[in-house]
Amino acid sequence: MTTPVLEVRGLAYAYPDGHQALFGVNLHVHQGERVALLGPNGAGKTTLVLHLNGILTAGAGSVSVSGLPVTEPNLMEVRRRVGVVFQDPDDQLFMPSVRADVEFGPANLGLRGAALEARVVAALDQVGMLDFIDRPPHHLSFGQRRRVAVATVLAMEPEILVLDEPSSNLDPASRRELADIIRSLDVTVLMVTHDLPYAYELCPRSVVLSDGVVVADGTTREVLTDDALMSAHRLELPFGFDPRTIPTP
Amino acid sequence: MHVPDGFLDAPTSIGAAVVAASGVALALRGARRELDDRTAPLAGLVALFIFSTQMLNFPIAAGTSGHLLGGALAAVLVGPCTATLSITVVLLVQATLMADGGITALGTNITLMGLVGVWTGWLVFIALRRVLPKRPLWVVPAAAVAALVSVPTAALAFSLLFDVGGTVDVPFATVATTMVGIHTLIGIGEAVITALAVLSIVVVRPDLVHGARPSLERRTLTIREGVSA
Amino acid sequence: MGAGHGHHLHFHGHSPVHHLPAHLKLLALVGFVLTVVLTPRTAFAAYAVYLLLVLVAQRASRVPFGYFAKRMVVEVPFVLFALLMPFVATGPRVDVGPLRLSEHGLVGGFALLAKGTLGVMASLVLATTTEPRHVVAGLERLRLPGQLVQIMGFMVRYLEVVTGELSRMKVARESRGFRATSVRAWPVLATTAGALFIRSYERGERVHLAMLSRGYTGSLPVTHPATATPAQWRVAGMLPAAALATLLVVVTR
């Protein structure tokens, strides 16, 4: 088998305040996969995400990205390979204009001039936000800000895109537009979400994280129809949504 | 206490600007120790926090109200170097975006509030922390006293500057008694509000209070069984 | 002291003053205010000319004067201080109506008021015509240390986000019947400040994580340095140049 894009082994972590969030996580994601990471609040999903690009350092265990271990000397390359889109676009868009924000990542990689401009234009075009390039981020709608947040990461040409709750706070139209964008991207995706229909729609495979360990891994259809698993980990399908009656997307 | 343009003569303003620039340069170096490369975003948000609490009006009586100055509070919450940087930036924003405090008096204002206000508060705080019990909650009274001392001390520093470089001849004793008197009253309010604010933070997130960090402890990891994904 | 304004710091417009690069406006402001500060306190005519100049600049900005005047309340605490001067200053006394005032204090108080007011007005011409983010870029162009530029950049970027949080917290307090009328409200307001600190700090941390995730190593990449044309230099130079000329005429006469 080829080297996985993402390989997590025995990962454990406790925050400086003493709270332990991860208790030995194992996870593999292969190239071209779209995987949903499901789990109740406080399961450790965000903590896991922060290990994938080396923001948090494993207390025990290891993470590697396309074979490259996530360690101090590799951080810059790891952060280019792993693009994390955070839940609140206001946290991600910290620069004074859309252009400056999308430039931030590739400029840190050393790009300047025409090459930089080309990256910025391409990334904004992929999310349909090219017309807003000179706007300040706080003048955009929430859905537009989320799309620009995705572009800031795409501009770094990552190998894996990690999305933290991509559909949260989006109105139905924005939610649909974002799904179309995600489907159009030729990149491996790990999507952390509570939105089970969204996971079903976009991700063939799902992994369930609960109390800091992986408790299930299978096709999204299998996971969502395993009633015992679902109720044991506080996962609930929204009213009226039944994966058994919906054809596999 | 924002000094406007033309309040102090040129030599005094320049002297204060030199003091402010050196102090801020030292704080820039020190803040890297307090926060490493988190300095810029965190100091930015802390500056915004101080700016916002200065807009939070605390009613006193009969329709009058006051607000927090925040020097001692900032020092206790994020450490004195980051506090100096945050207050410097608050003053910079107030001078350039709100015309609050003269642009040629920036050095004076940074010296008074960003250096004297913050560091007096911090020194009082660590002196008290040394003699008080080593528990997170004891930072609350220490922060209150730090705020109580820091505000009139900054007012005294202003009176000294006005004596050296004031453009009007007023006896030092008159300025000092008036300024220190008024600011002792303000300091009491500042102390109470600082204490209440620190208390509300230290009970939920003691790890965020810089001044409480020496009294926190570390824990160890456990491993549980799961499936391999 | 009175920081009573929220976030509507700049008045959107397209006047020539709006279009000047921020670093030139900052230089013009400093040049003008320095000239005012250096003017002898009895040069009453010079102050009249300065007032005229700053009013011309204000009208050229096409920012409504009412909006501009309202923003001048930041000056109030020091107006009070200046008005005290004739009563507390030393030196010979003069009778003004029923009051015995210090002559020196009258002149000194006038100078404080004049210089302070002109400083506030000139600063407001900058503040009302320049977007906060452009002021930050202007200061960067004027070689303010990079760390301070970054700190100020973040403060300005999140100004509306945090004032928004603050006003939502106020709505939440008031929806539950809370009204801040006396000292008894302090614990609630201080708790609000505490909560605001926790939120601000946590946002600071999240922003930092987002920056690290995109390869931040401590400094912001400069990709588009601000530039100014000679014509813009000339426009921005008019205010300080006219003020300086006034000062020279007054001093040499």
Side-chain angles (χ1 to χ4, degrees):
Chain A
M1 210 160 171
T2 54
T3 317
V5 176
L6 189 65
E7 182 174 25
V8 180
R9 280 172 185 276
L11 182 65
Y13 180 78
Y15 281 95
D17 67 0
H19 167 70
Q20 184 170 349
L22 299 179
F23 295 84
V25 172
N26 293 297
L27 174 67
H28 292 75
V29 178
H30 288 272
Q31 175 153 24
E33 276 193 295
R34 278 206 298 271
V35 181
L37 182 65
L38 312 176
N41 284 334
K45 302 186 296 290
T46 302
T47 310
L48 174 58
V49 166
L50 295 179
H51 280 86
L52 304 183
N53 64 355
I55 281 172
L56 295 180
T57 311
S62 68
V63 179
S64 21
V65 180
S66 301
L68 186 71
V70 178
T71 50
E72 185 64 35
N74 300 335
L75 278 189
M76 198 54 146
E77 177 58 16
V78 164
R79 286 174 185 164
R80 187 197 67 76
R81 292 185 187 185
V82 181
V84 181
V85 179
F86 291 95
Q87 189 171 350
D88 184 346
D90 275 328
D91 295 342
Q92 186 121 15
L93 306 178
F94 44 77
M95 295 292 278
S97 73
V98 167
R99 179 194 295 276
D101 240 310
V102 182
E103 273 176 350
F104 182 85
N108 280 328
L109 299 176
L111 265 67
R112 291 289 184 279
L116 181 61
E117 178 72 10
R119 283 275 188 108
V120 172
V121 168
L124 283 171
D125 195 36
Q126 275 177 292
V127 299
M129 288 296 292
L130 194 50
D131 292 342
F132 298 83
I133 190 162
D134 286 313
R135 293 280 196 86
H138 58 268
H139 287 180
L140 305 179
S141 75
F142 191 88
Q144 290 172 327
R145 273 180 281 163
R146 165 106 4 110
R147 276 148 68 188
V148 174
V150 172
T152 63
V153 169
L154 291 178
M156 298 180 79
E157 300 186 343
E159 292 176 14
I160 178 165
L161 190 61
V162 179
L163 301 162
D164 193 356
E165 297 290 357
S167 60
S168 64
N169 294 321
L170 291 185
D171 60 36
S174 307
R175 192 171 176 277
R176 156 91 11 252
E177 284 159 5
L178 188 66
D180 292 341
I181 290 166
I182 293 171
R183 252 193 303 265
S184 73
L185 298 174
D186 179 25
V187 61
T188 310
V189 172
L190 179 68
M191 188 167 107
V192 177
T193 188
H194 284 296
D195 185 340
L196 302 178
Y198 215 54
Y200 187 63
E201 182 187 345
L202 288 169
C203 302
R205 178 181 158 207
S206 284
V207 172
V208 178
L209 190 70
S210 185
D211 276 333
V213 287
V214 172
V215 294
D217 178 14
T219 67
T220 304
R221 193 182 178 88
E222 277 165 16
V223 170
L224 297 190
T225 51
D226 184 339
D227 295 336
L229 173 79
M230 293 282 284
S231 63
H233 300 290
R234 291 182 59 80
L235 293 172
E236 250 174 55
L237 297 171
F239 179 76
F241 172 74
D242 183 359
R244 291 177 189 89
T245 62
I246 299 172
T248 310
Chain B
M1 207 191 286
H2 290 46
V3 177
D5 291 305
F7 213 75
L8 301 175
D9 64 16
T12 313
S13 300
I14 294 169
V18 171
V19 171
S22 330
V24 170
L26 289 175
L28 278 169
R29 228 184 275 172
R32 292 219 153 249
R33 266 200 317 278
E34 283 166 13
L35 293 172
D36 55 68
D37 67 350
R38 295 182 303 160
T39 299
L42 277 176
L45 270 297
V46 170
L48 189 47
F49 159 72
I50 293 166
F51 179 82
S52 315
T53 53
Q54 290 189 355
M55 298 199 304
L56 205 60
N57 282 312
F58 286 83
I60 297 170
T64 57
S65 66
H67 66 75
L68 207 60
L69 300 174
L73 177 65
V76 171
L77 290 179
V78 293
C81 292
T82 310
T84 293
L85 295 184
S86 303
I87 293 201
T88 297
V89 167
V90 169
L91 292 167
L92 205 53
V93 165
Q94 287 169 334
T96 56
L97 302 178
M98 304 168 69
D100 198 5
I103 193 125
T104 60
L106 253 177
T108 309
N109 284 320
I110 291 172
T111 302
L112 290 175
M113 286 179 266
L115 297 178
V116 177
V118 166
W119 286 88
T120 307
W122 179 248
L123 292 175
V124 170
F125 177 78
I126 51 172
L128 285 172
R129 195 172 64 181
R130 206 161 287 165
V131 297
L132 290 171
K134 304 275 171 289
R135 296 244 197 73
L137 273 182
W138 281 98
V139 302
V140 174
V145 179
L148 179 65
V149 177
S150 119
V151 176
T153 306
L156 183 66
F158 168 82
S159 313
L160 283 170
L161 283 181
F162 194 74
D163 191 50
V164 175
T167 46
V168 187
D169 282 331
V170 183
F172 173 70
T174 312
V175 180
T177 30
T178 317
M179 286 299 282
V180 173
I182 293 174
H183 284 85
T184 303
L185 289 178
I186 296 178
I188 294 171
E190 178 97 1
V192 174
I193 296 162
T194 299
L196 290 169
V198 171
L199 175 67
S200 76
I201 297 164
V202 92
V203 293
V204 279
R205 289 294 302 272
D207 58 306
L208 293 194
V209 180
H210 182 89
R213 250 165 241 170
S215 47
L216 296 174
E217 58 217 72
R218 287 186 62 90
R219 283 167 224 183
T220 48
L221 296 176
T222 47
I223 300 285
R224 291 182 195 153
E225 278 304 304
V227 301
S228 275
Chain C
M1 251 185 221
H5 321 280
H7 30 290
H8 303 294
L9 297 171
H10 134 273
F11 193 94
H12 186 76
H14 296 282
S15 75
V17 187
H18 281 86
H19 284 298
L20 282 177
H23 65 282
L24 295 191
K25 283 190 266 191
L26 280 161
L27 285 176
L29 169 65
V30 172
F32 176 77
V33 176
L34 276 179
T35 312
V36 171
V37 168
L38 291 173
T39 305
R41 58 180 99 175
T42 48
F44 302 115
Y47 291 108
V49 176
Y50 298 151
L51 180 64
L52 194 70
L53 287 174
V54 81
L55 284 174
V56 168
Q58 201 283 319
R59 289 325 300 148
S61 75
R62 292 186 220 132
V63 172
F65 190 75
Y67 171 84
F68 184 88
K70 242 184 273 165
R71 300 265 314 254
M72 287 180 64
V73 295
V74 290
E75 224 204 333
V76 168
F78 273 88
V79 170
L80 297 178
F81 194 103
L83 291 178
L84 271 179
M85 288 297 120
F87 298 94
V88 297
T90 51
R93 302 263 144 181
V94 287
D95 288 319
V96 180
L99 303 170
R100 263 183 87 70
L101 302 177
S102 156
E103 208 180 298
H104 179 82
L106 274 174
V107 176
F110 162 77
L112 287 186
L113 206 55
K115 292 180 184 189
T117 306
L118 288 165
V120 166
M121 291 177 80
S123 302
L124 279 177
V125 172
L126 168 79
T128 53
T129 59
T130 319
E131 274 187 56
R133 61 184 175 126
H134 294 149
V135 173
V136 180
L139 287 168
E140 181 176 27
R141 186 75 191 3
L142 297 175
R143 306 275 171 84
L144 184 73
Q147 281 278 312
L148 289 180
V149 171
Q150 285 191 49
I151 296 172
M152 191 174 172
F154 289 114
M155 176 172 169
V156 163
R157 163 64 183 91
Y158 290 104
L159 193 59
E160 292 192 25
V161 177
V162 170
T163 45
E165 274 172 9
L166 202 57
S167 67
R168 283 196 297 277
M169 285 153 89
K170 186 175 155 113
V171 169
R173 284 198 306 269
E174 290 178 358
S175 331
R176 282 173 277 162
F178 173 83
R179 279 177 63 232
T181 49
S182 73
V183 176
R184 265 169 293 170
W186 284 14
V188 175
L189 291 171
T191 307
T192 305
L196 188 69
F197 173 74
I198 294 174
R199 288 186 193 198
S200 301
Y201 196 97
E202 288 177 343
R203 183 177 298 277
E205 287 188 318
R206 292 196 307 270
V207 169
H208 177 243
L209 299 184
M211 297 173 76
L212 286 182
S213 303
R214 285 190 276 145
Y216 175 71
T217 51
S219 58
L220 296 185
V222 176
T223 47
H224 303 281
T227 51
T229 63
Q232 287 174 324
W233 276 98
R234 279 195 296 278
V235 173
M238 281 176 350
L239 180 70
L244 190 61
T246 311
L247 176 63
L248 290 177
V249 169
V250 168
V251 174
T252 51
R253 246 196 338 186

